[in-house]
Protein backbone atom coordinates (compact mmCIF):
# COMPACT_ATOMS: atom_id res chain seq x y z
CA UNK A 1 0.00 0.00 0.00
CA UNK A 2 1.35 3.40 -0.97
CA UNK A 3 2.41 5.50 2.00
CA UNK A 4 0.99 8.99 2.40
CA UNK A 5 3.23 11.91 3.28
CA UNK A 6 2.78 12.79 6.97
CA UNK A 7 3.33 16.51 6.44
CA UNK A 8 0.69 16.53 3.73
CA UNK A 9 -1.84 14.79 5.98
CA UNK A 10 -1.12 17.19 8.81
CA UNK A 11 -1.42 20.17 6.49
CA UNK A 12 -4.78 18.96 5.22
CA UNK A 13 -6.01 18.34 8.76
CA UNK A 14 -4.95 21.81 9.85
CA UNK A 15 -6.57 23.36 6.80
CA UNK A 16 -9.83 21.87 8.04
CA UNK A 17 -9.71 24.03 11.14
CA UNK A 18 -9.37 27.12 9.00
CA UNK A 19 -12.44 25.87 7.17
CA UNK A 20 -14.40 25.62 10.41
CA UNK A 21 -13.37 29.10 11.51
CA UNK A 22 -13.93 30.87 8.22
CA UNK A 23 -16.39 28.54 6.42
CA UNK A 24 -14.32 28.59 3.25
CA UNK A 25 -12.30 26.27 0.99
CA UNK A 26 -15.07 23.68 0.68
CA UNK A 27 -13.05 21.90 -1.98
CA UNK A 28 -10.61 20.77 0.75
CA UNK A 29 -13.31 18.51 2.20
CA UNK A 30 -12.50 15.52 0.01
CA UNK A 31 -8.77 15.67 0.88
CA UNK A 32 -9.15 15.46 4.67
CA UNK A 33 -7.87 12.07 5.90
CA UNK A 34 -10.24 9.58 7.49
CA UNK A 35 -9.33 7.34 10.45
CA UNK A 36 -11.28 4.19 11.40
CA UNK A 37 -13.87 5.21 14.00
CA UNK A 38 -13.18 2.25 16.31
CA UNK A 39 -9.47 3.11 16.43
CA UNK A 40 -10.20 6.53 17.98
CA UNK A 41 -11.88 5.11 21.10
CA UNK A 42 -9.77 4.42 24.17
CA UNK A 43 -8.84 0.77 24.66
CA UNK A 44 -10.25 0.32 28.17
CA UNK A 45 -13.99 0.55 27.58
CA UNK A 46 -16.05 -2.36 28.86
CA UNK A 47 -18.28 -2.58 25.78
CA UNK A 48 -17.79 -1.49 22.16
CA UNK A 49 -20.47 -0.99 19.51
CA UNK A 50 -20.01 -0.58 15.76
CA UNK A 51 -22.91 0.58 13.60
CA UNK A 52 -22.78 0.61 9.76
CA UNK A 53 -25.01 3.63 9.23
CA UNK A 54 -26.21 2.95 5.67
CA UNK A 55 -28.05 -0.19 6.81
CA UNK A 56 -29.27 1.28 10.11
CA UNK A 57 -29.94 4.90 9.26
CA UNK A 58 -33.13 5.28 11.33
CA UNK A 59 -31.52 3.79 14.41
CA UNK A 60 -28.39 5.89 13.87
CA UNK A 61 -30.52 9.03 13.69
CA UNK A 62 -32.29 8.15 16.94
CA UNK A 63 -28.96 7.36 18.58
CA UNK A 64 -27.37 10.68 17.57
CA UNK A 65 -30.38 12.65 18.80
CA UNK A 66 -30.25 10.59 22.00
CA UNK A 67 -26.60 11.21 22.79
CA UNK A 68 -26.05 14.72 21.37
CA UNK A 69 -28.05 17.36 23.28
CA UNK A 70 -29.83 19.89 21.10
CA UNK A 71 -29.47 17.87 17.89
CA UNK A 72 -32.82 17.90 16.07
CA UNK A 73 -34.06 15.12 13.81
CA UNK A 74 -34.07 17.64 10.95
CA UNK A 75 -30.34 18.29 11.39
CA UNK A 76 -29.71 14.58 11.94
CA UNK A 77 -31.48 13.81 8.65
CA UNK A 78 -28.96 16.05 6.91
CA UNK A 79 -25.95 14.53 8.69
CA UNK A 80 -26.82 10.81 8.67
CA UNK A 81 -26.34 10.23 4.89
CA UNK A 82 -22.81 11.62 5.27
CA UNK A 83 -21.80 9.21 8.07
CA UNK A 84 -20.38 5.78 7.29
CA UNK A 85 -19.80 4.37 10.76
CA UNK A 86 -20.70 5.13 14.37
CA UNK A 87 -18.67 3.44 17.12
CA UNK A 88 -19.19 3.72 20.86
CA UNK A 89 -17.23 2.68 23.93
CA UNK A 90 -19.22 2.21 27.15
CA UNK A 91 -17.94 1.91 30.69
CA UNK A 92 -14.39 1.35 31.90
CA UNK A 93 -12.86 -2.09 32.29
CA UNK A 94 -10.31 -0.72 34.80
CA UNK A 95 -12.70 1.32 36.97
CA UNK A 96 -16.02 -0.11 38.13
CA UNK A 97 -16.97 3.36 39.42
CA UNK A 98 -16.75 4.70 35.86
CA UNK A 99 -19.12 2.23 34.19
CA UNK A 100 -21.37 5.06 32.94
CA UNK A 101 -18.59 6.51 30.77
CA UNK A 102 -19.62 6.93 27.13
CA UNK A 103 -17.36 7.68 24.16
CA UNK A 104 -18.76 8.03 20.64
CA UNK A 105 -16.75 8.18 17.41
CA UNK A 106 -18.12 9.00 13.94
CA UNK A 107 -16.44 8.44 10.58
CA UNK A 108 -17.82 9.83 7.34
CA UNK A 109 -17.72 12.95 5.18
CA UNK A 110 -19.73 15.70 6.85
CA UNK A 111 -20.06 19.07 5.05
CA UNK A 112 -18.94 22.23 6.89
CA UNK A 113 -22.44 23.69 6.55
CA UNK A 114 -23.88 20.77 8.52
CA UNK A 115 -21.37 21.43 11.31
CA UNK A 116 -22.11 25.15 11.41
CA UNK A 117 -25.87 24.55 11.39
CA UNK A 118 -26.07 21.73 13.94
CA UNK A 119 -23.47 23.16 16.34
CA UNK A 120 -24.31 26.86 16.23
CA UNK A 121 -24.34 29.20 19.23
CA UNK A 122 -28.07 29.63 18.60
CA UNK A 123 -28.47 25.94 19.44
CA UNK A 124 -26.43 26.34 22.61
CA UNK A 125 -22.98 25.21 21.46
CA UNK A 126 -19.77 27.14 22.20
CA UNK A 127 -16.57 26.64 20.20
CA UNK A 128 -13.41 26.00 22.27
CA UNK A 129 -9.76 25.32 21.52
CA UNK A 130 -8.31 21.99 22.64
CA UNK A 131 -4.91 21.57 24.27
CA UNK A 132 -4.19 18.86 21.67
CA UNK A 133 -2.45 20.26 18.62
CA UNK A 134 -1.90 19.28 15.03
CA UNK A 135 1.44 20.42 13.62
CA UNK A 136 2.27 21.87 10.22
CA UNK A 137 5.97 22.35 9.52
CA UNK A 138 6.63 22.78 13.24
CA UNK A 139 3.68 25.15 13.80
CA UNK A 140 1.04 23.90 16.24
CA UNK A 141 -2.61 24.34 15.35
CA UNK A 142 -5.13 23.47 18.09
CA UNK A 143 -7.95 21.05 17.54
CA UNK A 144 -11.39 22.44 18.39
CA UNK A 145 -14.39 21.11 20.27
CA UNK A 146 -17.93 22.23 21.12
CA UNK A 147 -19.54 22.29 24.56
CA UNK A 148 -22.93 23.16 26.05
CA UNK A 149 -24.04 24.43 29.47
CA UNK A 150 -26.64 21.67 29.89
CA UNK A 151 -24.25 18.70 29.55
CA UNK A 152 -20.76 17.60 30.59
CA UNK A 153 -20.25 15.98 27.19
CA UNK A 154 -18.22 17.67 24.47
CA UNK A 155 -18.16 17.13 20.71
CA UNK A 156 -14.75 17.43 19.07
CA UNK A 157 -13.84 17.76 15.42
CA UNK A 158 -10.70 15.84 14.60
CA UNK A 159 -11.48 16.49 10.93
CA UNK A 160 -14.57 16.73 8.75
CA UNK A 161 -14.33 12.93 8.50
CA UNK A 162 -13.85 12.16 12.19
CA UNK A 163 -15.96 13.39 15.11
CA UNK A 164 -15.70 12.26 18.74
CA UNK A 165 -18.14 12.80 21.61
CA UNK A 166 -17.22 12.30 25.26
CA UNK A 167 -16.94 14.04 28.62
CA UNK A 168 -13.18 14.17 28.02
CA UNK A 169 -12.32 14.57 24.34
CA UNK A 170 -8.60 15.23 24.82
CA UNK A 171 -7.56 11.52 24.89
CA UNK A 172 -9.59 10.86 21.74
CA UNK A 173 -8.00 13.76 19.88
CA UNK A 174 -4.58 12.50 20.99
CA UNK A 175 -5.49 9.06 19.63
CA UNK A 176 -6.51 10.68 16.36
CA UNK A 177 -3.05 12.24 16.01
CA UNK A 178 -1.32 8.93 16.83
CA UNK A 179 -3.54 6.94 14.47
CA UNK A 180 -3.15 9.54 11.73
CA UNK A 181 0.63 9.18 11.97
CA UNK A 182 0.35 5.38 11.91
CA UNK A 183 -1.94 5.51 8.89
CA UNK A 184 0.47 7.81 7.07
CA UNK A 185 3.58 5.76 7.91
CA UNK A 186 2.25 2.21 7.52
CA UNK A 187 -1.12 2.47 5.78
CA UNK A 188 -2.82 0.96 8.85
CA UNK A 189 -4.11 2.14 12.23
CA UNK A 190 -2.58 0.69 15.39
CA UNK A 191 -4.59 -2.25 16.79
CA UNK A 192 -5.65 -2.25 20.48
CA UNK A 193 -3.47 -3.65 23.24
CA UNK A 194 -3.80 -6.36 25.86
CA UNK A 195 -7.44 -5.76 26.86
CA UNK A 196 -8.53 -7.01 23.43
CA UNK A 197 -8.50 -10.54 22.06
CA UNK A 198 -7.04 -10.29 18.54
CA UNK A 199 -9.81 -12.36 16.98
CA UNK A 200 -12.43 -10.12 18.61
CA UNK A 201 -10.89 -6.97 17.16
CA UNK A 202 -10.74 -8.57 13.72
CA UNK A 203 -14.39 -9.57 14.04
CA UNK A 204 -15.38 -6.02 15.04
CA UNK A 205 -13.58 -4.49 12.06
CA UNK A 206 -15.00 -6.85 9.44
CA UNK A 207 -17.21 -5.32 6.73
CA UNK A 208 -20.79 -6.26 7.57
CA UNK A 209 -24.37 -4.94 7.52
CA UNK A 210 -24.89 -6.03 11.14
CA UNK A 211 -24.59 -3.83 14.17
CA UNK A 212 -21.91 -5.51 16.22
CA UNK A 213 -20.67 -5.23 19.78
CA UNK A 214 -18.10 -6.88 22.00
CA UNK A 215 -18.00 -7.01 25.76
CA UNK A 216 -14.60 -6.99 27.46
CA UNK A 217 -16.10 -6.72 30.96
CA UNK A 218 -19.12 -9.00 30.52
CA UNK A 219 -20.81 -9.47 33.89
CA UNK A 220 -22.53 -6.10 34.39
CA UNK A 221 -23.48 -5.56 30.77
CA UNK A 222 -24.83 -9.06 30.23
CA UNK A 223 -27.00 -8.76 33.32
CA UNK A 224 -28.73 -5.73 31.75
CA UNK A 225 -28.91 -7.35 28.33
CA UNK A 226 -30.06 -10.84 29.32
CA UNK A 227 -31.96 -10.01 32.48
CA UNK A 228 -29.84 -12.54 34.35
CA UNK A 229 -26.83 -12.11 36.62
CA UNK A 230 -24.12 -14.13 34.84
CA UNK A 231 -22.03 -15.24 37.83
CA UNK A 232 -19.68 -17.32 35.73
CA UNK A 233 -16.05 -16.93 34.63
CA UNK A 234 -16.59 -15.20 31.29
CA UNK A 235 -13.65 -14.35 29.04
CA UNK A 236 -15.41 -12.19 26.44
CA UNK A 237 -18.74 -11.83 24.64
CA UNK A 238 -19.50 -10.81 21.04
CA UNK A 239 -22.91 -9.96 19.68
CA UNK A 240 -24.69 -8.79 16.54
CA UNK A 241 -28.01 -7.05 15.99
CA UNK A 242 -29.97 -7.62 12.79
CA UNK A 243 -32.76 -5.21 11.81
CA UNK A 244 -36.16 -6.87 11.37
CA UNK A 245 -37.49 -3.73 9.59
CA UNK A 246 -40.39 -3.48 12.03
CA UNK A 247 -38.79 -1.53 14.87
CA UNK A 248 -37.20 -4.61 16.40
CA UNK A 249 -33.85 -6.39 16.24
CA UNK A 250 -32.70 -9.99 16.52
CA UNK A 251 -29.77 -10.45 18.86
CA UNK A 252 -27.18 -13.20 18.35
CA UNK A 253 -24.63 -13.57 21.14
CA UNK A 254 -21.44 -15.61 21.55
CA UNK A 255 -20.09 -15.91 25.09
CA UNK A 256 -16.61 -17.37 25.66
CA UNK A 257 -15.96 -19.18 28.95
CA UNK A 258 -12.77 -20.35 30.62
CA UNK A 259 -13.74 -24.02 30.40
CA UNK A 260 -16.44 -26.44 29.29
CA UNK A 261 -17.73 -27.03 32.83
CA UNK A 262 -18.59 -23.36 33.35
CA UNK A 263 -20.15 -23.21 29.87
CA UNK A 264 -22.47 -26.13 30.69
CA UNK A 265 -23.65 -24.43 33.89
CA UNK A 266 -24.27 -21.14 32.06
CA UNK A 267 -26.26 -22.90 29.33
CA UNK A 268 -28.53 -24.49 31.94
CA UNK A 269 -29.12 -21.10 33.61
CA UNK A 270 -29.97 -19.31 30.35
CA UNK A 271 -32.21 -22.14 29.19
CA UNK A 272 -34.34 -21.61 32.29
CA UNK A 273 -34.55 -17.86 31.62
CA UNK A 274 -35.49 -18.02 27.95
CA UNK A 275 -37.26 -21.35 27.74
CA UNK A 276 -38.35 -21.44 24.07
CA UNK A 277 -37.82 -17.72 23.37
CA UNK A 278 -34.24 -18.18 22.19
CA UNK A 279 -32.02 -20.82 20.62
CA UNK A 280 -28.99 -21.88 22.64
CA UNK A 281 -26.09 -23.93 21.30
CA UNK A 282 -22.55 -24.75 22.45
CA UNK A 283 -19.26 -25.09 20.61
CA UNK A 284 -15.96 -25.75 22.38
CA UNK A 285 -15.85 -23.10 25.18
CA UNK A 286 -18.38 -20.83 23.45
CA UNK A 287 -22.08 -20.48 24.25
CA UNK A 288 -24.18 -19.27 21.30
CA UNK A 289 -27.55 -17.61 21.87
CA UNK A 290 -29.81 -16.78 18.90
CA UNK A 291 -33.08 -15.02 18.14
CA UNK A 292 -33.40 -12.81 21.21
CA UNK A 293 -35.82 -10.07 20.15
CA UNK A 294 -35.13 -6.47 21.22
CA UNK A 295 -37.01 -3.25 20.47
CA UNK A 296 -35.26 -0.10 19.26
CA UNK A 297 -35.77 1.33 22.76
CA UNK A 298 -34.11 -1.75 24.27
CA UNK A 299 -31.04 -1.22 22.09
CA UNK A 300 -30.87 2.52 22.84
CA UNK A 301 -31.07 1.70 26.56
CA UNK A 302 -27.84 -0.28 26.23
CA UNK A 303 -26.08 3.03 25.67
CA UNK A 304 -27.09 4.20 29.15
CA UNK A 305 -29.15 7.09 30.44
CA UNK A 306 -26.34 9.30 31.76
CA UNK A 307 -25.25 10.93 28.50
CA UNK A 308 -27.19 14.15 28.96
Amino acid sequence: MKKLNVSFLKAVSAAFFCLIYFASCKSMEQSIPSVDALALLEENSAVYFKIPVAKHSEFAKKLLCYVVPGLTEKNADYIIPKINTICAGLGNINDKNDMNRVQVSLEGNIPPLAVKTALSEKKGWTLKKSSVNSKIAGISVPHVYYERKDTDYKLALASLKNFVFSKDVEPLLQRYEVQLDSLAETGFVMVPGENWVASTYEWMTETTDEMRFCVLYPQGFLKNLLGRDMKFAIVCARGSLTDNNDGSYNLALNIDFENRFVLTAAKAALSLVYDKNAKIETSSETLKVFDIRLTTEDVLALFGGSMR
Side-chain angles (χ1 to χ4, degrees):
M1 183 177 293
K2 184 178 179 180
K3 294 184 179 179
L4 300 175
N5 182 274
V6 178
S7 298
F8 170 75
L9 291 179
K10 294 290 188 177
V12 170
S13 185
F16 157 73
F17 297 115
C18 294
L19 193 155
I20 288 296
Y21 283 116
F22 304 112
S24 62
C25 302
K26 190 172 182 179
S27 62
M28 291 296 295
E29 182 182 337
Q30 297 302 321
S31 299
I32 298 170
S34 175
V35 178
D36 177 68
L38 187 62
L40 297 189
L41 300 175
E42 291 188 275
E43 298 176 9
N44 59 345
S45 291
V47 184
Y48 292 86
F49 277 85
K50 184 176 181 180
I51 303 168
V53 174
K55 295 296 182 180
H56 303 278
S57 57
E58 283 301 309
F59 177 82
K61 180 174 71 173
K62 290 180 182 296
L63 177 62
L64 286 188
C65 291
Y66 182 63
V67 302
V68 181
L71 182 65
T72 66
E73 289 203 4
K74 182 178 180 180
N75 286 334
D77 280 333
Y78 184 50
I79 294 172
I80 285 296
K82 306 297 183 180
I83 299 174
N84 299 326
T85 307
I86 299 175
C87 290
L90 312 179
N92 189 331
I93 197 172
N94 300 319
D95 185 357
K96 295 181 181 180
N97 295 320
D98 194 21
M99 294 310 290
N100 289 324
R101 184 183 73 167
V102 177
Q103 298 181 335
V104 179
S105 174
L106 282 67
E107 183 273 322
N109 195 350
I110 303 176
L113 181 60
V115 177
K116 288 175 64 64
T117 301
L119 304 177
S120 66
E121 288 189 19
K122 184 179 180 180
K123 289 184 169 60
W125 294 94
T126 302
L127 182 68
K128 299 284 187 178
K129 290 183 180 180
S130 167
S131 63
V132 180
N133 295 323
S134 181
K135 293 183 179 180
I136 318 170
I139 300 175
S140 294
V141 179
H143 281 279
V144 297
Y145 64 89
Y146 289 84
E147 64 180 15
R148 291 171 59 97
K149 292 182 179 180
D150 58 354
T151 179
D152 293 334
Y153 282 85
K154 302 173 177 63
L155 195 155
L157 302 143
S159 76
L160 280 179
K161 293 185 178 179
N162 286 109
F163 281 26
V164 290
F165 182 73
S166 178
K167 286 185 177 180
D168 185 4
V169 295
E170 304 283 280
L172 305 185
L173 290 173
Q174 289 170 353
R175 286 185 65 82
Y176 173 80
E177 289 298 314
V178 171
Q179 295 289 24
L180 185 61
D181 284 342
S182 178
L183 183 64
E185 293 170 4
T186 69
F188 301 96
V189 296
M190 297 172 61
V191 300
E194 60 183 11
N195 288 336
W196 282 77
V197 176
S199 58
T200 297
Y201 182 75
E202 292 172 2
W203 181 80
M204 283 290 291
T205 54
E206 286 177 356
T207 300
T208 178
D209 290 340
E210 301 171 334
M211 283 197 283
R212 288 187 172 183
F213 64 91
C214 64
V215 191
L216 307 187
Y217 179 71
Q219 274 73 11
F221 180 80
L222 291 181
K223 180 180 180 180
N224 293 334
L225 178 63
L226 301 175
R228 178 82 177 190
D229 192 358
M230 297 289 288
K231 294 182 178 179
F232 303 101
I234 302 172
V235 176
C236 183
R238 300 175 300 282
S240 62
L241 291 156
T242 305
D243 193 347
N244 292 320
N245 298 314
D246 62 358
S248 70
Y249 290 84
N250 272 354
L251 168 68
L253 186 65
N254 287 2
I255 309 173
D256 296 338
F257 294 89
E258 291 186 352
N259 57 64
R260 186 80 182 181
F261 175 79
V262 177
L263 179 149
T264 301
K267 180 182 178 181
L270 285 179
S271 295
L272 289 174
V273 172
Y274 285 106
D275 192 19
K276 297 180 180 180
N277 295 322
K279 297 177 183 177
I280 303 175
E281 300 176 357
T282 59
S283 174
S284 186
E285 279 78 45
T286 300
L287 180 66
K288 299 181 179 182
V289 186
F290 303 92
D291 294 341
I292 300 175
R293 196 173 182 87
L294 300 178
T295 66
T296 298
E297 289 69 28
D298 291 333
V299 180
L300 283 174
L302 298 178
F303 288 81
S306 60
M307 293 179 286
R308 297 284 179 171

